[in-house]
Every structure is written in structure tokens, then in C-alpha cells.
Amino acid sequence: MKSSSIIKKLDRPVLTRKDIPYNAALIFNAGVTKYNGKYVMVFRNDYGDFENHVLKGTNIGLATSDDGISWSVAPKPCFALEDDEIQRAYDPRLTVIDGKCYMCFAVDTKHGLRGGIASTEDFAHFDIHSMSLPDNRNMALFPEKIGGYFTRLERPMPVYSRRHRDTFDIWMSQSPDLEFWGRHKLVIGTESIPFCNDKIGPAAPPVKTEKGWLTTFHSVMLYPEREKNGWENKWIKAYYGGIMLLDLDDPSKVIGKYDEPLLVCDRDFEEEDGFRKDVIFPGGMILEDSGEVKIYYGASDTVECLATADVNELIKLCTE
């Protein structure tokens, strides 16, 4: 598969382990937004020994930029959770609501996968507002209240009721205060995505357009015939980035979607030395005043990259 023809990819990653001033091996799945006049990125860092393919832990780092392309990395990680129950926090997403920056993140615990929401004004101190029940993650906040409620996309992971398979879908929930979540609605099911035979989930936080909420998602295909496709002896999954348009007043309604992948790993710099190849995961999306959309994505769970497209062409993909 190939990325959509309207996509323009920067011809190199925007961030790799070589850019990090502390121990780093895999830099990917970053959340990116504009905040206080700067581009701000929080990125997942799986640290360890890259050359010998040894991973020892995970933290979340911070980088800033004036143009969204060249990044300055802070001298130490900005966020990590670990105690007797929590094993690690990862895959951050950033959303600015009413002048405050919120970060959704995933958490591995001894009793299941959880999703958290925190807020910060300086990226040094974070207030955690909520942590979900297991198993739920891939959360992404909308950048404004809808119908008076904070609104998020999420991906619960029902295994027992889905015949013990990874048939996971995208849901929406709402909250009056970021702590108590309810009003759950299904947004789109796995069966509605032609380039999926495993699971789907939210990707970057949606951006608002006149036509609807422009929303990326990730989709997973299984290729059982594959063997070694990265560091591990066997990696049979491929992750693709998709695009859809949600109703402005009721984001559980899909107005339109593109039935082919928007983003796939199809460039050498996305695959070279890849931990898990053929993996695209969009974590940040910015709509510029010019109409350009910047989409930041992790590639092969190894590097962070940037693609751009015109907002009207993305909407056209979804509606036509």
C-alpha cells in the first residue's frame, strides 16, 4: 500500500534517538500542539541499548520548535509514572482547551491498560484529572467543549465479549469536569474500515473545520505469512493511518471517511533499523492559518516524522 497522493512527507524524521540528550532508543508516537506561541511536542522514549536491541524502560520527553520542523529537546524527560502498580506511561496526545494544555496518555499497570488525562502549564508539573478502568486507552481530547461537555475519543478493549479477538472499535465519551466520564457512544466499528482485519483506534486529537471534525485514526492489518519484520523474530501486523470527518455537534456521527489508507510506511527513512516495521501512528495534527495540515506520526515505532496536506483536500477525501 501507498500513502495518499495528497500527502507530502518531509524527507527525513523530525526527531530520532540521536537528537535526545539522555538515554534514548526509540522516539515515536508524539503528541504535538501549538501552545504559548511555540510548537510543543511530547514524545515517547523507549530507552535502552539500540545497537543491541535491548529496551529497559519508557518515559516521555519534551521538545519545542519555532517552525514545527526543527526541534530543541529539553535536557531531561518531562513525565514518567512508576510505582508498585504502574509500570509505565506512554503514547501522549496534546490538546489545548481554553488556554490550558491537556495531555492524554496510556498507562501499563499490573492489572490492565488504562488511559489518563493530565493538564500542565509549564510541562514540568502535571495535574492528573482522571484514570480510566482497564482496559481502555488511545484517548484523544477534542479542543473545545461540545454541548457543554469535555469530549474524548477512546478505544476500549473488550476481549471476552468479542470472542477473545482484537476486534476493537472507536468510541466517544463526555465529561462535565474531566474526572467523571459517561455518555458513551460508538463512533465507528472495525467492520467499517476496508483496510483493517484486526482493530482500529483514535490517533491525533481532531481539528475543527467548517465541514466537521477532521479526525485521524489508526487501523491494523494482520499478515500471518510474515515472519521477521523488525527486531523481533515475528511481527505480522501493519499499522495504517486513516482519515474521517465527524459531525461538529455530535462527533459520534461519521459524516464521511476515506476508504483507503491516508498514511503508510512507504519511505526508506521510516523503515530503516525499525523496531516494528510497517507501523504508522499519527499522534499530532495542527491546522495552520494557511490551510496546511501538519500530521506528526511515529514510524516503525522508532522515529517521529512529519507529513503535510491541504485541509480542503483532506476533507474532499472524506466526503467524495
Side-chain angles (χ1 to χ4, degrees):
M1 295 190 185
K2 294 288 185 182
S3 300
S4 167
S5 60
I6 73 167
I7 289 291
K8 299 181 179 70
K9 291 181 176 179
L10 191 68
D11 60 0
R12 57 174 175 81
V14 292
L15 208 66
T16 75
R17 71 186 188 281
K18 297 177 182 178
D19 301 311
I20 313 304
Y22 45 87
N23 185 257
L26 309 176
I27 303 297
F28 62 111
N29 291 7
V32 187
T33 191
K34 277 185 170 179
Y35 185 64
N36 289 342
K38 287 267 192 180
Y39 293 86
V40 179
M41 175 190 293
V42 287
F43 56 87
R44 171 175 172 173
N45 169 35
D46 287 4
Y47 56 86
D49 184 343
F50 183 87
E51 301 301 331
N52 291 304
H53 295 181
V54 176
L55 299 176
K56 297 181 179 179
T58 301
N59 53 43
I60 292 174
L62 172 68
T64 57
S65 172
D66 292 323
D67 60 7
I69 298 174
S70 299
W71 294 86
S72 175
V73 180
K76 61 181 181 180
C78 68
F79 189 82
L81 292 179
E82 188 174 337
D83 57 25
D84 290 341
E85 171 65 15
I86 295 174
Q87 297 163 323
R88 63 174 182 167
Y90 57 99
D91 289 358
R93 322 280 174 90
L94 293 180
T95 308
V96 176
I97 306 174
D98 296 332
K100 179 177 283 191
C101 197
Y102 294 87
M103 184 176 76
C104 296
F105 55 94
V107 176
D108 287 351
T109 80
K110 294 178 180 178
H111 295 88
L113 306 174
R114 304 176 70 186
I117 298 176
S119 64
T120 184
E121 295 181 2
D122 58 8
F123 294 91
H125 304 89
F126 291 83
D127 294 320
I128 295 178
H129 299 280
S130 64
M131 295 280 286
S132 73
L133 281 169
D135 279 317
N136 194 358
R137 64 177 181 180
N138 293 139
M139 294 172 179
L141 278 170
F142 286 77
E144 63 183 57
K145 291 182 179 180
I146 300 173
Y149 292 92
F150 292 99
T151 303
R152 75 185 183 194
L153 298 175
E154 56 196 354
R155 205 277 305 279
M157 304 162 72
V159 175
Y160 179 80
S161 60
R162 298 301 291 269
R163 299 182 181 178
H164 299 276
R165 293 194 64 251
D166 288 4
T167 311
F168 307 148
D169 312 304
I170 297 175
W171 288 71
M172 184 192 87
S173 62
Q174 293 187 302
S175 170
D177 58 4
L178 290 172
E179 182 177 0
F180 299 100
W181 290 87
R183 301 169 64 90
H184 309 286
K185 291 183 180 180
L186 176 69
V187 176
I188 191 168
T190 302
E191 69 279 359
S192 299
I193 306 301
F195 50 99
C196 172
N197 64 6
D198 188 44
K199 59 187 176 182
I200 60 174
V207 298
K208 191 176 187 179
T209 74
E210 292 181 354
K211 302 295 184 181
W213 293 104
L214 195 62
T215 306
T216 55
F217 61 91
H218 68 273
S219 170
V220 182
M221 289 283 289
L222 297 180
Y223 296 98
E225 70 279 3
R226 282 184 176 169
E227 294 293 336
K228 189 172 179 61
N229 198 39
W231 292 12
E232 300 158 305
N233 291 329
K234 190 177 183 69
W235 175 247
I236 66 171
K237 295 180 180 180
Y239 279 64
Y240 304 125
I243 191 84
M244 60 184 173
L245 198 64
L246 306 180
D247 185 82
L248 288 175
D249 298 318
D250 181 1
S252 69
K253 295 180 180 178
V254 179
I255 299 172
K257 60 182 172 64
Y258 184 44
D259 281 336
E260 297 178 25
L262 179 71
L263 287 164
V264 307
C265 277
D266 52 16
R267 302 288 292 274
D268 288 344
F269 66 83
E270 297 169 330
E271 299 278 64
E272 186 178 9
D273 297 326
F275 169 57
R276 288 175 170 168
K277 296 185 179 182
D278 294 325
V279 173
I280 286 277
F281 203 104
M285 182 164 57
I286 295 173
L287 173 57
E288 305 285 16
D289 292 339
S290 64
E292 179 188 71
V293 177
K294 288 184 171 71
I295 303 174
Y296 294 88
Y297 64 95
S300 295
D301 284 357
T302 305
V303 294
E304 186 67 22
C305 303
L306 170 63
T308 61
D310 179 80
V311 65
N312 293 317
E313 291 186 344
L314 288 170
I315 292 171
K316 187 176 179 180
L317 282 184
C318 296
T319 56
E320 295 186 3

